[in-house]
Amino acid sequence: MALAPRLELRQGQSLVMTPQLQQAIKLLQLSNLELAEYVEQELERNPLLEAGSAEPAERAEERDAHEGEREQVISSETSLSLSEDGPLPGRDGDLDTDYDNVYADESRSDAQNDAAASAPGQTSSDWQNVKGGGGGNADGDFSFEATLTREATLAEHLTEQMNMALKTAGDRMIGAYLIDQVNEAGYMTADTAEVAERLGTDVEDVEAVLQVLQTFEPTGICARNLKECLALQLAERDRLDPAMQLFLDNLELFAKRDFDQLIKITGADREDIASMVEDIRLCNPKPGLAFGGEPVVPVVPDVFVRARADGSWAVEINSETLPRVLVNQQYYAEVSKLSGDASAKAYISECLNNANWLVKSLDQRARTILKVASEIVRQQDGFLVHGIQHLKPLNLKTIAEAISMHESTVSRVTANKYVATPRGIFEMKYFFTSSIASSSGGAAHSAEAVRHRIKELIDVERPDAVLSDDNIVDILKSQGVDIARRTVAKYREALNIPSSVQRRREKKAYA
């Protein structure tokens, strides 16, 4: 067979992921807060994009018509009543490609402040109020708290105490090095012998400095292990007697709830052991976490679910966290008219296309999230009305088929999204749980509901009748849940519930 070059024409179909479509898919899986950050970057990059005001869309359109400017506004306030029949409100997105079914692995300037400072009659307190610094409040009084920008870190807190406690330069050098080896929980992670070798000093000197550091606040700081951390805190409260020291030496028995063995080792009676356990529970096993931590950011829901008077559910997008974007058509027209450079015209045209695409993508994203959230609410109506016992087994395929989308789209929508319901704020993925067959041949049970039932059974068990995993299996089967013993054990461990042996020992200790 001879080999020779030749030309062939072949016809085929393929899906091409354009950059714009990739952008739309990326926006779909972002939370509202992440979306706001992304839009801020686009506002800096694209001169035709402007941040929209918080006024309603109707007022914005009226203002635009009055000023003669043609701007495209995205309105992110949409609501839906699930009791109404018919398709979801709103038109379909007019993107070049529908991504629903795509699968793919005010501050002032310095000059203004200077001018304000040089104005006649300007006082020093007024200057402080203009600048916003100096700790001045509205009345011109100095406030030290107003100058604080953040909480002190654990290292800074320990260093401040070290500078007052250690007098010599050598001890301070050792102390500074040891403080650097303290982790965020407050534990010393370095070995004193290694520190002494690295610093070229004696181990006794390092140990002496470490003992000083362990007297700092918070109590229990710079301990080398949990036993030492608890001992430091108990000693401060004058509770570190010989029996307690023996208890700390055998903490592994406490972890196993083996109180009978602890009674033999410590020589204490059951009442004293219970008192020791209570003292230990008052200690902080991670004293360093009280300093320098990042502030806790509350969960901001992306969707609100509210009950209507007629018993249906209203599903709304959280418009407070959605960015409002405007496309400045007037600026585009002025720049296109004045610019004679072909490259400049091409650039401004590309900016216009990107801006229009972003507005359409944001609109399509809001509608898609609303569709998915509405179907989830419809499927889990029993949970919203009656509670977790009525949470149904649900998967992505069920939602995707109900709203005619691809599973990957539903997966992206439910990622990093939260729903505020009358029963609390839940992640969207919380409503998707595996199913457990019914022993009576009825409807399957949600795994989350079964976990909740296991916890309820253990919470109400009596000290003289602690339920084993086999007992829990029998009870659940009598209630129509066909579940294996290993599954009960897995769910119990996921709930951080000890075994029946450990629970029985603990209940006997407190009996």
Side-chain angles (χ1 to χ4, degrees), residues 499-511:
S499 66
S500 59
V501 175
Q502 294 175 337
R503 298 201 309 275
R504 185 177 294 106
R505 289 172 178 171
E506 185 173 3
K507 291 179 185 293
K508 285 175 59 179
Y510 288 99

Side-chain angles (χ1 to χ4, degrees), residues 20-64:
Q20 291 85 358
L21 185 56
Q22 293 177 7
Q23 178 197 58
I25 294 175
K26 178 182 178 181
L27 296 182
L28 194 60
Q29 59 190 3
L30 298 180
S31 66
N32 283 0
L33 298 181
E34 293 171 334
L35 180 67
E37 182 180 355
Y38 176 84
V39 170
E40 284 294 330
Q41 298 175 358
E42 290 297 317
L43 289 172
E44 295 177 1
R45 187 181 301 117
N46 195 326
L48 297 182
L49 283 175
E50 295 180 358
S53 62
E55 59 186 345
E58 294 82 5
R59 188 178 302 173
E61 293 176 359
E62 181 179 346
R63 173 180 55 79
D64 295 342

Side-chain angles (χ1 to χ4, degrees), residues 213-234:
L213 297 183
Q214 290 179 347
T215 64
F216 292 171
E217 290 293 334
T219 307
I221 205 71
C222 298
R224 284 163 287 193
N225 49 56
L226 177 61
K227 169 189 169 183
E228 192 172 41
C229 178
L230 297 176
L232 291 171
Q233 298 180 57
L234 292 168

